[in-house]
Amino acid sequence: MAETTGTPAAAPDLSVRLGPLRLANPVLVASGTFGYGEEYADFLDPGRLGAVIVKGISLLPRPGNPPPRLVETPAGMINAIGLENVGVDRFIDVKLPLLRQRRATVIVNIFGNTVDEYAGLASKLDGEDGVAALEINISCPNVKQGGMVFGTDPATAAAVVGAVRARTALPLITKLTPNVTRIGEIARAAVDAGTDAISCINTVAAMAVDIFSRRPKLANVFGGLSGPAVKPIALRCTYEVLQAVKCPVIGVGGIGTATDALEFMLLGARAVQVGTANFVNPGVSVEILEGIERFLRFQGLDRIEDFIGTLDTECLFPFAEDACGVLDLS
Amino acid sequence: MPKFQENALILDHREVADRTWLMRLMSPKIALEARAGQFVMVRVRDGIDPLLRRPLSFHRTFPEEGCIELLYRVVGKGTLLLSKTVPGMNLDLLGPLGNGFDLPAPDARGPIALIAGGIGIAPLFDLMERIALSNPAFDPQQMNLFYGTRTVAELLALSYFGALGVRVHWSTDDGSFGHKGHVTRMFAQFAEDSAFRPESLYACGPLEMQFHVARWALAHDVPAQLSLESLMACGLGACLGCALPAASPDDPAADGYVHVCMDGPIFPAGAVQWQKLQVHRPPPPIFLSD
């Protein structure tokens, strides 16, 4: 064990840098799983998180898709919410002040039907007090426009990112879809167009049907799969993106424990987003943060940066005795 | 209103009717704040399958003793696993959630109708107790409970309601006890035959039943409070999965959604566009273990 001297070790430094964006710690909550930050305030202090990524925002309010919008599947869930949101003006007037009060680092997830709408959102949010960065959503599988169509083609992805880049000096994070053949190509296009970081992944296009009613279980027929079921897909995508680009990557997909989060960081992700797990355990993001801290102490590491990207792909069977942790990180 | 995550000890757990289970839990923080018609999100077990919590409404609450009771029906994987838990085990609860019923005004004297379809009896029992407690002058015989299930084996016994002194009107779809047919049909017939006009109406049950209740209430201009259900992931308003199409009679241009977890689960009859709802029928019990 690391702590044998009797003097408590200084708390490990959990701060991370994602291009121009500095975060106090690498644990973020994913867009669409944390509302606008107030919904979970009874269970944790949003100010403790690396950042709160709010529910995706469009220029005008959107009602979302018809119900049923949600179905549970083994180790996951499929949603087809359809980006229901209050619209950017109401977000700025009503939701953002509450987050400012709670001293949360806020990343605003934006999406539009057209490239111009993305650019318009960037203009509106640029310079808003309390907005730390924008996450450009070009990956939602549940809406025809404004979603995955922008994220499945390198040229359109670059067009969106470039248009947003031209309108704001805020750090930009581009959220990618796994529903492509070569995710690295999309990542490269986004980086070339000026994104500062990549989030990967959004939900995986999926479907569920009912043999009794003989109908799809979602009114939208398709939806986006999330939860523990998608973690291996997300890890693979993160790995591919890290191979393709030099820019910082935020891992997201099926993260529900500190171990899950550290797996993404081992690959090289500089931060992680906790999504569906928030629904199961509202305090899980802070538990993950504490678990990462315990892991670093156990490993005798002073900084999370010393762990990020240390995956040894040469050594496939690292079964040395000291490689097996005895620490319960869950 | 405060919400809590509480590790609740199971004190008692038994099957009180066919596939219908009554669970008593020690959950002092939640018990103290709970209102009739609110619910808890129950984590039926650790692990990732099933992943999501299950919403269950309060059946009875005992704030002084720090206890709550949940009455639920085994309809799928989650509730089947829940039914296997035993006293002495702990369950992770989130609550109290949702808006809850509004009780009748303290000076209300007129008749009240409560319509329960199947496991819809669960929150109405708490409501009846609270109405009786909140207004000692209220004659319990003015509370008319219309209670229907598919078959007699699913009915809670008469003794269950005895102490409350309410008038129970029974129905079963197959006619094995009480009126034969749907509970809403029985209710409408009773209202017509005896010129029964409740001052307020409360209902809980399948959406199909609630549609008939809503239609009756709107046609007869009786204020109704309906406890509606929808699949939900978070229970807190974050996922927006539990949407139902909203009706806004004052604003025909509005075509949005209400969310059962935060706008409900209790809604007035005119709050949702019933014709847009999809009806879910639970699978036959034989497939439960799938």
Side-chain angles (χ1 to χ4, degrees):
Chain A
M1 297 289 285
E3 290 172 11
T4 50
T5 57
T7 50
D13 178 7
L14 293 177
S15 67
V16 287
R17 202 170 30 76
L18 291 104
L21 185 63
R22 279 200 80 86
L23 300 175
N25 68 68
V27 180
L28 287 57
V29 284
S31 179
T33 66
F34 211 72
Y36 298 105
E38 275 299 296
E39 289 80 350
Y40 285 89
D42 283 317
F43 304 104
L44 58 82
D45 171 13
R48 274 198 75 186
L49 299 170
V52 171
I53 307 180
V54 294
K55 174 81 191 155
I57 293 288
S58 48
L59 273 178
L60 296 174
R62 281 176 61 101
N65 286 335
R69 299 174 163 190
L70 194 70
V71 55
E72 186 171 1
T73 54
M77 55 176 262
I78 310 176
N79 88 79
I81 308 298
L83 296 172
E84 172 175 349
N85 79 96
V86 297
V88 68
D89 291 333
R90 186 130 189 273
F91 169 74
I92 290 171
D93 293 344
V94 180
K95 306 292 185 183
L96 194 53
L98 292 169
L99 283 160
R100 273 201 294 262
Q101 255 173 34
R102 296 199 181 271
R103 299 179 183 284
T105 300
V106 179
I107 296 175
V108 182
N109 181 289
I110 58 167
F111 70 93
N113 291 323
T114 63
V115 172
D116 283 348
E117 284 186 21
Y118 280 96
L121 280 159
S123 297
K124 283 214 174 207
L125 289 160
D126 186 49
E128 271 305 324
D129 184 23
V131 177
L134 300 183
E135 183 179 66
I136 309 170
N137 182 0
I138 52 168
S139 46
C140 177
N142 296 325
V143 292
K144 286 192 181 69
Q145 275 108 28
M148 217 164 73
V149 287
F150 290 107
T152 49
D153 175 65
T156 48
V160 172
V161 174
V164 173
R165 179 76 290 164
R167 298 290 188 93
T168 179
L170 283 169
L172 297 183
I173 304 162
T174 304
K175 189 169 186 179
L176 301 187
T177 173
N179 307 310
V180 293
T181 313
R182 282 182 287 276
I183 195 168
E185 282 180 16
I186 314 286
R188 212 173 294 126
V191 170
D192 291 345
T195 196
D196 297 296
I198 298 280
S199 299
C200 88
I201 54 175
N202 206 318
T203 54
V204 181
M207 182 171 175
V209 293
D210 178 35
I211 56 168
F212 297 102
S213 64
R214 303 188 187 191
R215 290 181 183 189
K217 287 187 174 177
L218 295 167
N220 197 48
V221 185
F222 292 170
L225 178 66
S226 64
V230 309
K231 190 182 78 173
I233 300 172
L235 279 170
R236 186 268 299 167
C237 289
T238 300
Y239 186 73
E240 272 192 60
V241 168
L242 284 161
Q243 301 279 305
V245 294
K246 290 271 180 284
C247 91
V249 174
I250 305 173
V252 47
I255 295 172
T257 65
T259 308
D260 296 334
L262 286 161
E263 288 173 10
F264 283 86
M265 301 185 87
L266 177 62
L267 296 189
R270 308 189 63 78
V272 292
Q273 294 178 20
V274 181
T276 301
N278 293 310
F279 301 150
V280 182
N281 176 5
V284 73
S285 48
V286 167
E287 288 173 19
I288 289 173
L289 181 57
E290 291 166 351
I292 291 174
E293 195 172 311
R294 277 202 302 280
F295 174 78
L296 292 180
R297 284 176 192 273
F298 177 74
Q299 295 266 308
L301 295 171
D302 298 328
R303 308 181 325 142
I304 185 69
E305 297 273 8
D306 296 338
F307 177 74
I308 291 170
T310 54
L311 180 75
D312 182 357
T313 48
E314 299 295 305
C315 176
L316 291 173
F317 302 101
F319 284 135
E321 249 174 46
D322 62 352
C324 302
V326 291
L327 193 65
D328 179 13
L329 293 171
S330 62
Chain B
M1 265 175 288
K3 308 178 187 87
F4 305 99
Q5 183 171 10
E6 210 165 29
N7 199 22
L9 176 69
I10 303 175
L11 301 171
D12 192 19
H13 193 195
R14 58 208 151 87
E15 195 170 12
V16 291
D18 184 30
R19 289 183 292 125
T20 306
W21 291 74
L22 179 66
M23 177 184 274
R24 190 180 170 93
L25 296 135
M26 177 61 79
S27 186
K29 287 187 204 157
I30 290 174
L32 199 61
E33 298 290 335
R35 297 179 54 191
Q38 288 188 303
F39 64 98
V40 280
M41 292 294 277
V42 183
R43 194 157 180 202
V44 298
R45 71 162 180 189
D46 288 341
I48 56 171
D49 193 12
L51 180 66
L52 303 176
R53 292 167 180 264
R54 297 297 187 267
L56 296 177
S57 58
F58 295 112
H59 179 52
R60 296 174 81 190
T61 49
F62 306 88
E64 292 87 15
E65 295 152 56
C67 294
I68 61 169
E69 282 183 3
L70 305 173
L71 183 80
Y72 66 94
R73 173 147 250 264
V74 174
V75 291
K77 188 159 64 177
T79 41
L80 184 65
L81 282 166
L82 191 60
S83 73
K84 313 275 187 208
T85 58
V86 293
M89 290 169 73
N90 284 73
L91 281 183
D92 182 359
L93 306 183
L94 278 189
L97 305 174
N99 57 357
F101 290 112
D102 286 329
L103 299 187
D107 56 349
R109 293 286 180 277
I112 294 172
L114 304 110
I115 307 178
I119 196 61
I121 189 66
L124 295 183
F125 199 87
D126 194 10
L127 177 69
M128 288 189 290
E129 281 198 323
R130 291 197 187 222
I131 293 173
L133 282 173
S134 70
N135 187 355
F138 189 80
D139 174 10
Q141 281 285 304
Q142 292 282 12
M143 276 198 270
N144 288 266
L145 172 66
F146 300 84
Y147 176 30
T149 58
R150 278 178 288 204
T151 182
V152 64
E154 296 174 3
L155 279 173
L156 293 175
L158 175 65
S159 58
Y160 209 86
F161 305 96
L164 279 172
V166 300
R167 288 180 71 184
V168 187
H169 309 254
W170 310 84
S171 77
T172 48
D173 294 355
D174 64 1
S176 50
F177 188 82
H179 172 92
K180 181 176 180 177
H182 288 163
V183 65
T184 43
R185 181 74 55 85
M186 169 177 67
F187 166 75
Q189 194 67 51
F190 177 83
E192 197 182 317
D193 292 350
S194 56
F196 176 69
R197 184 73 188 270
E199 270 185 18
S200 50
L201 195 166
Y202 299 90
C204 184
L207 282 177
E208 218 171 349
M209 180 206 104
Q210 299 277 36
F211 165 65
H212 292 290
V213 175
R215 203 162 53 173
W216 188 92
L218 292 170
H220 293 81
D221 201 22
V222 168
Q225 296 182 46
L226 314 179
S227 176
L228 304 187
E229 61 181 3
S230 179
L231 211 101
M232 50 181 81
C234 69
L236 298 164
C239 75
L240 306 180
C242 60
L244 296 177
S248 309
D250 305 330
D251 178 12
D255 187 12
Y257 295 97
V258 290
H259 301 93
V260 173
C261 72
M262 56 178 178
D263 303 318
I266 315 300
F267 293 93
V272 299
Q273 295 189 59
W274 296 95
Q275 71 277 14
K276 284 196 179 173
L277 288 179
Q278 282 195 28
V279 173
H280 291 272
R281 289 192 182 81
I286 192 170
F287 291 101
L288 264 182
S289 54
D290 279 7

